[in-house]
Amino acid sequence: MASSNTSEASVRQKDIFNIECLTIVNTYRRVHGVPHLCYSEKLAEKAQVWASKLAMEDKDLLHDPAILAAESSASVDWGRTDGENVGVTNPQINSYYEVLDVLSTWYSEIKDYNFDQHNESPRTSFFTQMIWASTRVAGFAKAKSKSGRTFIVARFRPTGNLVGEYQANVFPPIG
């Protein structure tokens, strides 16, 4: 009976985490006048696999090679379906703030984005993926490493950051 309660608590924690992440991301999306994202359990599960691997290795912050392989072997339309943002917190950050810390760091890339030229840049890819207008669903996950760092992974579908599509999907803040 205890294991059932433990697994139910774990599911509730994942649900709360995803609600927190979606709320923050959708707040940013609202600023840019793009539709809010809905939750995808499938994407959250994929994100959890990668977050757990990052935490287990407790090294550099890397993208899932499966995402990168789909990107590099894709045809003209890139052929990939999922976008991915990755982040890690400092062990000294209170867990209450870790979600806000990582997601606000992704959004802070807005300072390097040129809305007049719609520059495609790795320096702004987390920001642009977060507010990519044609993205509809997302799933989030986190995992804590032995050193105390928390790895946060977000998966988005359909993917953003498609060459030639920035002007149609990345809008300046409204108002």
Side-chain angles (χ1 to χ4, degrees):
M1 195 99 181
S3 66
S4 175
N5 289 342
T6 303
S7 65
E8 286 176 20
S10 177
V11 168
R12 281 194 301 271
Q13 288 296 330
K14 288 179 184 178
D15 289 345
I16 291 168
F17 177 74
N18 270 278
I19 290 168
E20 289 174 346
C21 290
L22 278 172
T23 300
I24 293 167
V25 169
N26 284 333
T27 299
Y28 289 135
R29 290 175 67 85
R30 191 174 311 115
V31 169
H32 295 269
V34 298
H36 75 276
L37 298 177
C38 294
Y39 171 69
S40 167
E41 184 173 349
K42 183 176 181 179
L43 291 179
E45 289 170 359
K46 287 181 172 188
Q48 187 62 64
V49 169
W50 189 242
S52 295
K53 182 167 177 48
L54 288 172
M56 184 178 65
E57 293 177 357
D58 202 9
K59 295 181 184 173
D60 295 332
L61 193 58
L62 301 170
H63 283 287
D64 184 341
I67 295 274
L68 299 176
E71 180 178 326
S72 65
S73 67
S75 63
V76 173
D77 69 355
W78 289 66
R80 60 188 172 130
T81 57
D82 297 351
E84 179 182 70
N85 284 7
V86 292
V88 64
T89 64
N90 182 316
Q92 284 78 32
I93 292 179
N94 181 308
S95 64
Y96 178 79
Y97 297 106
E98 64 191 10
V99 173
L100 183 58
D101 179 59
V102 169
L103 274 65
S104 64
T105 298
W106 294 344
Y107 187 79
S108 73
E109 293 178 354
I110 188 175
K111 69 186 180 311
D112 295 318
Y113 189 80
N114 185 324
F115 289 98
D116 295 325
Q117 295 179 358
H118 292 284
N119 56 333
E120 300 154 11
S121 168
R123 290 190 343 239
T124 61
S125 63
F126 291 158
F127 159 69
T128 52
Q129 177 60 81
M130 281 178 72
I131 67 156
W132 196 265
S134 63
T135 297
R136 295 292 179 249
V137 295
F140 304 85
K142 67 178 179 175
K144 191 169 282 294
S145 71
K146 288 182 180 177
S147 69
R149 299 189 308 164
T150 300
F151 289 85
I152 296 178
V153 176
R155 289 285 176 94
F156 301 90
R157 186 176 290 165
T159 188
N161 296 328
L162 299 174
V163 175
E165 299 294 323
Y166 283 78
Q167 189 168 2
N169 284 284
V170 180
F171 308 120
I174 54 177

